[in-house]
Structures are given as structure tokens and as C-alpha cells.
Amino acid sequence: MRVAAKTNLNKDQVIKMVKDGGVTMLRLQFTDILGGVKNVGIPGHHIEQILEEGVIFDGSSIEGFVRIEESDMRLMPDPSTFTVLPWKPEAHKEARLICDVVYPDGTPFPGDPRTFLKRMIAKASEQGLEMMAGPEAEFFLFEQDAQGQPTVNTHDTGSYFDLTPIDIGEETRRDIIDNLEKMGFEVEASHHECGQAQHEIDFRYADALHTADNVVTFKTVVKTIATQHGMHATFMPKPRFGIAGSGMHLNQSLFFDDENIFYDPDDPQQLSESCRFYMGGLIKHARAFTAFTNPLVNSYKRLVPGYEAPLYVTWAEKNRSPMIRIPAQRGKGTRVEVRSPDPSCNPYLAIGLMLCAGLDGIDNNIDPGDPVNINLYTLTPEQLREHSIATLPGNLKEALEAFEQDEMMMEAIGPHIWTQFKAAKLHEWEEYTTQVHQWELDRYLAMY
């Protein structure tokens, strides 16, 4: 596997590209704590001022940022993230810059998810390590109704790896890939997934920050192009009962200089101690970081037996039933695949927390145990206990409680993000548990 090319654009190059390319509008993009993509549009002729000074905005209006009495925040664009939006007309050319959020005086804002990931990257860098990550994000393409609102209806009868004419989303997927490649993505593969109307597009791995930026961009492109085809794309983990949900498997490795430290040619499995300890850290903190890798009430409708859901906190090589799998490739491609995250997560927080957990495993020589090479879906709860195999949290509230009990995870995320995230998620949970759902009406209304 080759690493996706990093852009090394600097301020002067971006200014020249905006002016020479006739870019009329700049979209300054960032995410809130819950992963929502936000942006502000600025005329292109302000590019020099924007790159030098950033843009002030009202942080009190953004989910999980600041209170109204301390509302002024500043967006500072990262020149290396500059890209033209290829679906915009040539006469009204627009470009995107991803931003860090800082206070007006320029100091980093502790509630900025991108800043959090940078902090975890710096922690690895202190040991000379660089995380590489590659996501496998799944999504559904559904029809819109007559008013343009999303439905869960589809004419798609395709299944895993099916092709046109069975898969009527093929044209949409092809157009998505075309736009991604115009924005610098190196798409490795795309295919129809197991569920009706479910798709996957894989792009090449890169350093952790570049990958998180790419996930945010990917989701925006998928939704935008789907709308142009009269369809609705959703990264909701489990939009329909009875079929598999959407995951975002995250492949991870650590490099020291140009060497993948997870690879050991002399080990029977060609896995280094560092790789095993990294998995040990992931396993130790899995129940905690699940609150951020699977952040919706709906996320836990996917993490149930019967749909190849990776809800068992252990590892294996070929076996796909545990939470962690080691793909067959070795050498520089040696990696750990964490299969539990879903694409509703904020990638900056999810990737940063998994990196933190893995580093804890390396720092403290945490043993992940032996690989489990049996089909875990066939085991009873008693047999799982006999093998000392834990399961991921069963719902969002349980995941929040697990995170709060993990001192290292709490220290890593910091009080600002945790306080705001917890409050929003508890509200979501309480709203869900007090609603009367259609299932209850179907089950009980006539009977009682």
C-alpha cells in the first residue's frame, strides 16, 4: 500500500491558486464536537487577509463550543487543505480550506476536535512515532420523496460486490469517485455492500490528521453528489431493521522514520511486540472510546449479534468476528483494523482517542491476550465469560458511563470536550428513552 500524497501548499501558493484560478468564494470549514460540518463563505479576493488573520465567528452558536459571554472565536485556515470544489460551476468557482479553531488571541481552543487530534499526534511524535490510518466508510443511498425529503426506500436489490443493472446506485457512486479524485483523493476500491442500497468507497491511508480531514471531506462529497442524482446519502449506522448497518473500519499503524513498527519478520505471525501492545491498549480502553467511535443512540442498533457486528473486545487475524482484525498484508502494510467505529463519529475525536489508547498499550506493555480464532457469534454468554471476552457497551448511556470510568481517556479528552459531549449525548439518550416508538404501538396498542 502506498501512502496518500500529502499536500505541501503554503500561503503564497494558495494565494496564487485563488487569484490565477478565478476562485470567487472560499468555504472555511470546521467541525463541532458532535462531528457536524460547519462552514462560512468568504469572497475569494480576501484570501491574503484570511490566511494571515483568520476569520472571527460566534462560537456560542456552535454545538459544544463556548457560552454567549465568551462567544468570539477565530478560524485559522490550514493552507495544506486547500482544494477547489469540482462540482461548482466554472463561473462561480469555489474552494475549501479546513480550519483550526482558536481564541481571538490565537491560543488553541480546547473544544476544537482537530486541535485535540493534533495534541494526540504530538504525543506520539514525542516518541518519534507517526500514526497512519485508513478508513473504510460505508453509507446508504436512498430515494427522496416528492418534497425532496429523505426516505429509506430504494429500488436497489443488489448485494455484496453486485454491479449494474442490479445496483442502480452505481452511477452515483462513480460520480462520487470522480469528484473525490478531482479533489486529490486516491480511491483504492468501491463496491456495493451487503445491504440493499449500501455502498463502500475506500481511499488510501495517510497520516492521522490528513485521514481525519479526508473523512470529513468524503462525507460532504458523498452527500452533495447523491443529492445531485436525486438521492439521499446517509451515514446513519443502522437506518433499516433486518440488514447490516454501516461501519467505518479504521486501519491503523505506527511508523518510526520510514519503518512500520508493527512489522517483525522474525515473529511467527510477523507482528511486533509494539503491535501487540498497541492492540492491548485498544482492548483495554475499547469500552470507553466507544462513546466517541459510536456516538449515536442508533449506533448500538448496529452493534448486535447476527450482522457480522464487531462487538467482541478481542483480536484475531483472518477471523472477522472480533473487534480487531489483522489483515494479511505484511511489511509496510502491516496494520491493525478496528472494526467497531461507525461513520457517524467525529473522525478527529475517534482517531485521536484510539491513538491515545494504543500508545498507552505500548507505554505500559499491555498484553492483548492470544488471538481468538473461533467464530464468536456462535458462543453463548457463558462461553464468552469462560474465554474472558468482553463485549462493547450495549447502548449509548452504558458507553458514556464506561468512558467516565476510564481515567486515562478522561484526561486525554479534557474537561471541555467531555462536559459538552456528555451533556449533548445524555439529552439524546433521555429524549430517546421517553419517546413512544412505532414498535411499541405495533406491539402493544391492540394487545392491551
Side-chain angles (χ1 to χ4, degrees):
M1 296 178 67
R2 290 190 291 114
V3 180
K6 298 182 187 179
T7 60
N8 294 308
L9 294 174
N10 58 37
K11 290 181 181 180
D12 292 338
Q13 290 170 318
V14 170
I15 291 169
K16 179 175 173 56
M17 292 171 74
V18 170
K19 291 182 176 180
D20 293 352
V23 175
T24 62
M25 182 65 68
L26 297 164
R27 296 290 174 185
L28 305 189
Q29 187 181 98
F30 63 104
T31 67
D32 64 21
I33 284 175
L34 302 184
V37 181
K38 308 295 181 180
N39 87 100
V40 58
I42 305 293
H45 61 81
H46 289 308
I47 182 61
E48 293 174 273
Q49 180 182 353
I50 289 169
L51 290 177
E52 190 63 35
E53 302 175 9
V55 173
I56 295 291
F57 74 102
D58 179 8
S60 67
S61 299
I62 305 299
E63 183 74 54
F65 272 22
V66 292
R67 299 167 297 182
I68 195 165
E69 64 268 26
E70 50 188 25
S71 59
D72 282 352
M73 307 293 292
R74 190 185 299 272
L75 294 175
M76 290 303 301
D78 180 343
S80 70
T81 65
F82 176 85
T83 184
V84 172
L85 303 179
W87 57 85
K88 295 293 184 179
E90 191 70 20
H92 303 285
K93 190 179 289 185
E94 295 187 9
R96 187 282 318 272
L97 285 158
I98 295 177
C99 301
D100 296 315
V101 182
V102 300
Y103 287 116
D105 65 1
T107 57
F109 171 51
D112 176 30
R114 196 169 190 261
T115 296
F116 165 74
L117 177 55
K118 283 185 169 183
R119 187 156 50 84
M120 296 301 102
I121 291 170
K123 183 177 179 181
S125 184
E126 290 172 1
Q127 302 178 43
L129 301 175
E130 182 178 29
M131 181 195 201
M132 296 294 171
E136 300 173 17
E138 298 167 340
F139 58 94
F140 284 86
L141 289 174
F142 291 127
E143 297 174 351
Q144 297 177 346
D145 65 18
Q147 289 73 44
Q149 296 301 307
T151 72
V152 291
N153 301 326
T154 176
H155 292 305
D156 181 348
T157 58
S159 57
Y160 194 63
F161 269 48
D162 277 344
L163 186 64
T164 315
I166 298 174
D167 175 13
I168 64 172
E170 182 71 21
E171 184 179 344
T172 304
R173 198 169 72 223
R174 184 188 62 201
D175 201 7
I176 290 168
I177 292 169
D178 182 53
N179 279 273
L180 288 170
E181 291 184 331
K182 287 177 180 176
M183 296 179 76
F185 279 68
E186 297 181 68
V187 175
E188 288 191 316
S190 74
H191 59 86
H192 197 290
E193 259 297 338
C194 298
Q196 292 180 10
Q198 189 180 35
H199 302 263
E200 180 178 316
I201 297 173
D202 302 332
F203 47 90
R204 290 195 173 173
Y205 76 104
D207 64 278
L209 185 63
H210 189 185
T211 293
D213 287 341
N214 280 345
V215 170
V216 173
T217 301
F218 171 77
K219 291 164 74 171
T220 301
V221 173
V222 169
K223 284 182 168 291
T224 299
I225 303 305
T227 300
Q228 292 180 356
H229 284 261
M231 305 185 79
H232 174 73
T234 181
F235 292 92
M236 179 180 178
K238 186 83 168 185
R240 292 180 64 178
F241 173 73
I243 61 175
S246 290
M248 190 180 77
H249 302 168
L250 194 77
N251 295 277
Q252 309 169 40
S253 55
L254 289 179
F255 278 69
F256 184 88
D257 290 333
D258 196 37
E259 295 299 320
N260 185 337
I261 69 166
F262 284 0
Y263 175 59
D264 180 358
D266 298 323
D267 179 78
Q269 295 167 306
Q270 296 186 310
L271 301 177
S272 69
E273 274 197 337
S274 293
C275 180
R276 295 175 194 277
F277 293 151
Y278 189 91
M279 287 192 291
L282 290 171
I283 288 169
K284 176 181 177 181
H285 299 288
R287 285 180 55 81
F289 65 61
T290 296
F292 286 86
T293 58
N294 306 79
L296 305 184
V297 165
N298 181 257
S299 296
Y300 299 86
K301 303 293 179 72
R302 167 181 168 253
L303 296 176
V304 294
Y307 299 95
E308 297 188 9
L311 67 161
Y312 303 107
V313 187
T314 185
W315 73 282
E317 289 182 272
K318 298 177 182 179
N319 189 355
R320 293 175 184 266
S321 58
M323 184 190 82
I324 298 173
R325 184 178 77 93
I326 305 294
Q329 192 170 5
R330 292 295 184 265
K332 286 195 174 181
T334 307
R335 61 196 187 274
V336 169
E337 179 190 37
V338 184
R339 300 169 57 80
S340 55
D342 70 54
S344 71
C345 70
N346 183 320
Y348 300 107
L349 301 180
I351 292 172
L353 286 168
M354 284 187 278
L355 172 58
C356 182
L359 290 176
D360 182 51
I362 292 175
D363 292 342
N364 294 289
N365 297 350
I366 299 175
D367 183 5
D370 294 328
V372 177
N373 296 313
I374 56 176
N375 184 355
L376 295 172
Y377 301 129
T378 64
L379 299 186
T380 65
E382 292 75 18
Q383 290 172 320
L384 289 170
R385 283 193 292 271
E386 288 174 9
H387 287 82
S388 300
I389 297 172
T391 58
L392 293 174
N395 57 57
L396 179 59
K397 188 170 189 295
E398 189 180 330
L400 294 171
E401 290 169 350
F403 193 92
E404 202 157 38
Q405 293 164 7
D406 191 314
E407 293 182 10
M408 195 206 74
M409 290 277 100
M410 285 285 289
E411 182 180 353
I413 202 69
H416 184 105
I417 292 179
W418 174 244
T419 300
Q420 300 295 332
F421 182 85
K422 178 185 176 184
K425 290 300 162 181
L426 281 179
H427 177 74
E428 183 179 332
W429 173 252
E430 289 162 4
E431 191 176 66
Y432 169 73
T433 56
T434 55
Q435 287 283 340
V436 176
H437 301 277
Q438 187 61 45
W439 180 91
E440 296 170 272
L441 295 175
D442 293 343
R443 181 86 170 185
Y444 303 129
L445 189 61
M447 184 179 297
Y448 296 99

